[in-house]
Amino acid sequence: MATLRALLRRGLRPAYLGSRGLGHWPIRSLATTSSRGSTGYLNRLHEDQQPLVQGEPQKPHIITSAIPGPKTKAGLDHLDQLQDTRAAFIMTDLDKSIGNFVADLDGNTYLDVFCQIASLPLGYNSKALIDAASSPEMIQMLVNRPALGVQPHSTWARALEQSVMSMAPKGMTQVFTAMCGTCSNETAYKAAFMYHQRQKRGGAPISTEELSTCMKNVGPGSPDLAIMSFHGGFHGRLFGSLSTTYTKPLHKADIPAFSKWVSSPFPDLRYPLEKHQTENDKEEARCLALAEDKMKHAKTPIAALIVEPIQSEGGDNHASPRFFQGLRDLTKKYGILMIVDEVQTGVGPTGHFWAHEAWNLTTPPDIVTFSKKFQAAGWFHRPEIRPDAPYRNFNTWLGDPVRIIQAKTILDEIKKKDLVRNAAVTGAYLKKELHSIESKYPGVISAVRGQGTFMAFDLPSPQERDVFVSRLKSAGVIAGGCGPQSIRLRPMLVFQKRHADIFLDAVERVASQH
């Protein structure tokens, strides 16, 4: 069989690239190809870790000759008559999925390290979450969903205290609950704008002129203000969040943008970080200087800056604590709020509950947004960022009590099973072994990087990355792409060394065929 690179050089589309995108690598060839100098990952024992999930399969099980199989393709075709399925790569059989393993309609079982786009903390069919779902409290909230802004129920304050607020980042005493990560960022931007204008007015009430002109969408009531973000950042696909997103052009095309908003370069570091400290320090200093120049000479006042601890969709781009401290110093210097977008990094996967904890900032951020692994969404803030009147940051639901009950359950499991430490320990093992594979196949895998189990590595090109992801799937592992040519891992918090071994074995087998 011709190698992937030979096929790409000849401009051919390999047979395993199906009509729904990547996904038709012949599984038999993966199973029979010998792995050069195999490290025997599947034979390793890890007596230092007891299983966190009972009843999981020992390994993936692929039974169809191509992926997606016939039943999955039929299911997706049926759904496509009602809803766009072009982004879908499998159809899940939740009845047969458990823990770190997900099943499709054809009976294939995969190790899932993509985790529903980084959003499943406890794995499939978590017993703790199933028990919570059958509780009287959950049932009551399901059948009596409240409009929390006008009629909060009697247990709402306690529910917040026992869930998200119990893990509020340093300096944060209040929370705004929302529906998803994108709307968390959107409403945080609104709060930043209102805070900025209130400071500008010196605490005076909104003027009659402002109230009248805002109804015409002109100043001074509708002021020219900006949010600053970074090249490679991803903060959502709604209007404001999309104007701060700089990943794939297709996300932004055809959509009106806030053209006066500001973007600045994010450090383009070399990996491994510890071997390139001098050049990386220079790169971070360059980016901080450019950021300050944009703040200092902004024609449109910048109300807030938003940054991810790790640029996730943009390619798992990292920066040092020194860089983020530099940003914090600049935001304080120029009177700009600092928003940390922890939608993807928050709730434990980096080995810290909040990734920005590792920065040890001299002063906390002003706002921290969250979603995904908490299942609930929203943003933490200080009291003075609360709007000066009701209904100004508002919608019907203002979050969902059901999700807060889930968040409490997730948090209880994280504490009970020490899952943040598990991410740190398992991640250290995984990173070490990925570096070993990287050294074994230097022309295939590069730039291994990560914190905890929040990890990524690069392939030589976008096309080769996409095919590598497809081959992993045929080997029984679901991973995801990010950035131009990276593969990202976003496993559950119950992902352990034995699961890492399954992933590492698949990576090594696929790399050996490259």
Side-chain angles (χ1 to χ4, degrees), residues 254-286:
D254 299 333
I255 311 300
F258 292 98
S259 59
K260 296 180 182 179
W261 289 19
V262 181
S263 66
S264 192
F266 191 83
D268 184 10
L269 302 187
R270 297 186 64 190
Y271 304 95
L273 298 174
E274 59 273 13
K275 292 186 178 180
H276 301 281
Q277 185 168 341
T278 299
E279 54 261 63
N280 287 344
D281 286 349
K282 290 179 181 178
E283 169 66 0
E284 290 188 338
R286 180 187 74 89

Side-chain angles (χ1 to χ4, degrees), residues 352-378:
H352 292 84
F353 195 89
W354 302 111
H356 77 272
E357 292 171 354
W359 305 343
N360 292 314
L361 296 179
T362 53
T363 55
D366 299 291
I367 292 173
V368 175
T369 61
F370 64 90
S371 185
K372 289 200 181 277
K373 278 188 168 61
F374 237 156
Q375 294 291 295

